[in-house]
Amino acid sequence: MNSKKHIDEVDLDISVADNVAVRPRLERMRFLEAGVEANLYRMLYSHGPGNGTALFMPFDQKSSEHGPGHEFLWERDDATAEEINLKGKGSADIRAIAELVNSGNFSGYVLHPGNIRQSKHLFRPDIPLIYKIDGHITQPLSAGIMSTAGTIEDALKYGASAIGLTIYPGGEHIKADLERAAEIIREAHKVGLVAVVWAYARGPGLDEKIQLKDKNGEFQGMTQADSLYWTHYAVSIASGLLGADLIKTKYPLKIKPDNRRAYDAYIDSLAKKNSSMIAYKYLEPKDAETALTMEQESLRASLVVQAAPYSIVIFSGGPKLPGNPTETLKKQTEILMKAGAEGAIYGRNIWGLPVKEGLETARAVNDVISMPEFHRKLTEPRFTGY
């Protein structure tokens, strides 16, 4: 793309085949420890959509991240106490999550330590478990760093295939945050667990206003935590600095009109030291109000994916979406798969629905991810037989 024209001023030629071809294949990731490779194989080829792609079900939001308010989304009508004890009372109930995971063709599921100890028996033992080792609570002032609540030993005890942890690039405690994450990842790799990193930029100037300056003077603004710049950077940190095997990141959204001045000012400041950084400005539409096309969305997402050439990259669904959740998720999934991503991790947009509807949405998303053009075929004899 011409770096002197905005993304909506050029004709884009998106090659899905090329985007998929430059992504890692398990047989090429020869640096993996044997146990890590085996667990990744289970997630990418033995469960879920397969063929080197993945769809995960996370349930780390209700226990701490956002609190139990998700329970108000829906309830089982006229359920008896016996039925509630068996299948739960409705949305954000661990028993309903188990029902979804056991029937929804997922590559794996995510639980916090407490839920694992209390409810692991509800889940099929063959489905890969990601042991989410840390978490935070929602409060007026962010803590800026996750609390490590679990242990590698417990992850092994409960038969986990992977540990999950979150980093906050841009956070106030980034030094301690990255050192904590690096230690957890080293210990996980020692015992053959896949290291899954939630790479979520956050902090002052990202989702909290700070003082910024441009040619028109000083002002208060935010550079937007889910912007292309921050998602691109977060994935690069998780892969290249920390060595994550699998990275979960936010879908890179267009800069909101209210944040455009702050974003441009920040990018301009970076470009004074490295002129190539100006590309982030041109990867936004010329007019902040202009919507991006699917091709433009795919180009931007492909940049995020390609920041991690040796890590599997999946995208989250973000806040519960308005309108028809199935059609919206299918569209987003098609965009990210055409960008070369290995898959998705959708929580509230699936378990925030009654179980029957959630299973229908999961099937629809699986159908997109399973399309032959997104397959990562393995060719080495040890993967295919002789």
Side-chain angles (χ1 to χ4, degrees), residues 34-343:
V36 175
E37 180 186 69
N39 280 317
L40 264 181
Y41 182 90
R42 292 176 61 220
M43 290 189 238
L44 297 173
Y45 290 91
S46 300
H47 292 274
N51 292 298
T53 63
L55 175 63
F56 293 95
M57 165 59 70
F59 189 61
D60 55 324
Q61 295 101 327
K62 183 233 177 175
S63 53
S64 68
E65 314 286 314
H66 308 140
H70 290 295
E71 294 177 0
F72 300 133
L73 288 172
W74 65 274
E75 293 184 352
R76 297 185 191 275
D77 295 332
D78 303 319
T80 65
E82 183 179 0
E83 290 169 334
I84 289 174
N85 285 331
L86 179 63
K87 293 188 174 183
K89 69 176 187 177
S91 181
D93 188 303
I94 190 70
R95 292 160 290 193
I97 301 301
E99 189 178 355
L100 278 168
V101 169
N102 291 340
S103 304
N105 196 39
F106 291 99
S107 307
Y109 63 104
V110 182
L111 294 179
H112 270 138
N115 276 331
I116 293 172
R117 181 175 182 271
Q118 297 161 353
S119 305
K120 181 71 168 67
H121 64 282
L122 298 174
F123 294 81
R124 278 173 39 192
D126 62 310
I127 303 175
L129 164 66
I130 300 175
Y131 178 99
K132 187 63 163 56
I133 204 166
D134 59 12
H136 74 88
I137 68 170
T138 298
Q139 57 191 32
L141 294 177
S142 172
I145 191 170
M146 285 279 188
S147 299
T148 304
T151 66
I152 298 295
E153 291 74 19
D154 277 353
L156 292 173
K157 180 173 72 175
Y158 292 116
S161 298
I163 56 94
L165 61 134
T166 299
I167 59 168
Y168 288 147
E172 298 173 79
H173 308 291
I174 188 62
K175 179 178 183 294
D177 195 12
L178 294 179
E179 290 172 351
R180 176 191 69 92
E183 179 61 23
I184 292 170
I185 291 170
R186 279 193 294 270
E187 293 304 310
H189 285 162
K190 283 181 184 178
V191 296
L193 293 176
V194 174
V196 185
V197 172
W198 274 237
Y200 280 6
R202 169 179 295 189
L206 284 75
D207 48 16
E208 303 168 18
K209 288 185 177 181
I210 62 168
Q211 198 75 11
L212 293 163
K213 186 177 181 179
D214 63 9
K215 61 183 179 181
N216 295 316
E218 292 191 350
F219 64 98
Q220 288 281 319
M222 297 187 297
T223 57
Q224 197 168 310
D226 55 7
S227 66
L228 175 60
Y229 170 77
W230 284 113
T231 53
H232 195 204
Y233 198 5
V235 166
S236 179
I237 292 167
S239 180
L241 179 63
L242 297 177
D245 306 303
L246 196 156
I247 300 168
K248 173 189 177 186
T249 192
K250 294 183 179 181
Y251 186 86
L253 292 180
K254 178 177 73 75
I255 295 296
K256 297 174 183 176
D258 288 349
N259 293 334
R260 187 63 176 265
R261 182 183 177 190
Y263 187 76
D264 286 354
Y266 185 64
I267 297 303
D268 284 340
S269 70
L270 296 175
K272 290 177 180 178
K273 296 181 179 179
N274 178 355
S275 61
S276 66
M277 303 297 280
I278 204 68
Y280 289 109
K281 283 180 64 173
Y282 289 103
L283 286 160
E284 299 292 324
K286 187 172 184 178
D287 183 344
E289 300 284 354
T290 302
L292 294 169
T293 66
M294 288 185 68
E295 290 75 19
Q296 291 161 359
E297 296 273 18
S298 281
L299 172 65
R300 287 159 50 92
S302 73
L303 298 175
V304 174
V305 169
Q306 291 169 22
Y310 298 106
S311 301
I312 305 303
V313 178
I314 59 175
F315 287 91
S316 67
K320 193 173 187 301
L321 301 168
N324 185 316
T326 299
E327 291 306 312
T328 304
L329 276 190
K330 282 174 61 179
K331 179 180 178 181
Q332 177 177 314
T333 304
E334 182 180 353
I335 289 169
L336 64 88
M337 294 305 294
K338 286 182 175 180
E342 277 69 47

Side-chain angles (χ1 to χ4, degrees), residues 12 307 325 331 361:
L12 298 179
K331 179 180 178 181
T361 298

Side-chain angles (χ1 to χ4, degrees), residues 21-31 310 380 383:
V22 299
R23 298 300 298 141
R25 298 287 197 281
L26 197 58
E27 61 191 11
R28 300 177 196 160
M29 299 169 74
R30 296 176 180 174
F31 54 85
Y310 298 106
E380 284 192 0
F383 289 108

